[in-house]
Amino acid sequence: MAVQPERCVLKQDMKYDREQFDRAIWAVVTSIPSGRVMSYGAVASAAGYPRYSRMVSKAMTRSPRKLPWHRVIRSDSTLAFAVAGEAYKKQSALLRKEGVKVVEGKVTATNHAVGMDLDQLLWGPATDE
DNA sequence: AAACTGACTGATC
DNA sequence: AGATCAGCCAGTT
């Protein structure tokens, strides 16, 4: 099905301002609770920038503060770094330390609800209770 | 300025 | 389930 010609809910003629964008992204990432994860796309949308999933990582890299970057994963629940790479291993370790189950580079459950369906695994301000 | 590059995604096969 | 693909959009060559 052809989902989304209508570009979700947000500003499609908004002007991209990096400063502002970064702040919004940092705020969302910071709000992800320990033991929960969120996809790049979900972070972007929650920040008010649907379709900007690819920019999320850039914004996080630019952050002067330490963000819980390890809680951001792909929408298919896999980790975004190269398998076996340093970052990949670090992320898995950090997540597991928070009670998140990571199997073969894939988050199978968070400590919020072990064994839930993939859809419900991703935490977001809009979908969380 | 044009081409190439990703810590991405949803659809399709 | 796993691989491919076109679409995505600013950043980097």
Side-chain angles (χ1 to χ4, degrees):
Chain A
M1 64 182 193
V3 190
Q4 93 113 60
E6 52 168 298
R7 357 238 70 168
C8 302
V9 202
L10 283 290
K11 26 200 162 183
Q12 72 181 83
D13 25 277
M14 103 192 124
K15 269 198 192 136
Y16 176 85
D17 178 274
R18 198 162 73 173
E19 285 270 315
Q20 183 179 286
F21 175 75
D22 286 357
R23 306 269 185 195
I25 297 301
W26 299 338
V28 173
V29 174
T30 301
S31 79
I32 305 174
S34 170
R36 304 294 297 282
V37 296
M38 207 167 160
S39 73
Y40 291 88
V43 169
S45 291
Y49 294 81
R51 309 194 295 296
Y52 280 68
S53 58
R54 306 195 87 138
M55 294 298 110
V56 172
S57 58
K58 307 264 194 182
M60 288 196 282
T61 300
R62 285 182 220 119
S63 175
R65 304 151 111 300
K66 292 178 184 174
L67 302 172
W69 60 273
H70 57 286
R71 296 179 190 148
V72 183
I73 63 178
R74 294 203 182 107
S75 62
D76 64 358
S77 80
T78 61
L79 304 190
F81 290 97
V83 179
E86 282 309 304
Y88 170 91
K89 286 189 274 192
K90 179 89 166 285
Q91 183 168 26
S92 310
L94 287 171
L95 285 174
R96 293 194 175 113
K97 195 179 306 180
E98 302 183 345
V100 174
K101 189 171 293 185
V102 184
V103 182
E104 316 251 308
K106 184 165 25 183
V107 171
T108 59
T110 65
N111 64 19
H112 174 261
V114 178
M116 290 181 91
D117 287 339
L118 227 189
D119 286 4
Q120 305 173 291
L121 263 174
L122 302 177
W123 178 92
T127 59
D128 197 21
E129 76 264 16

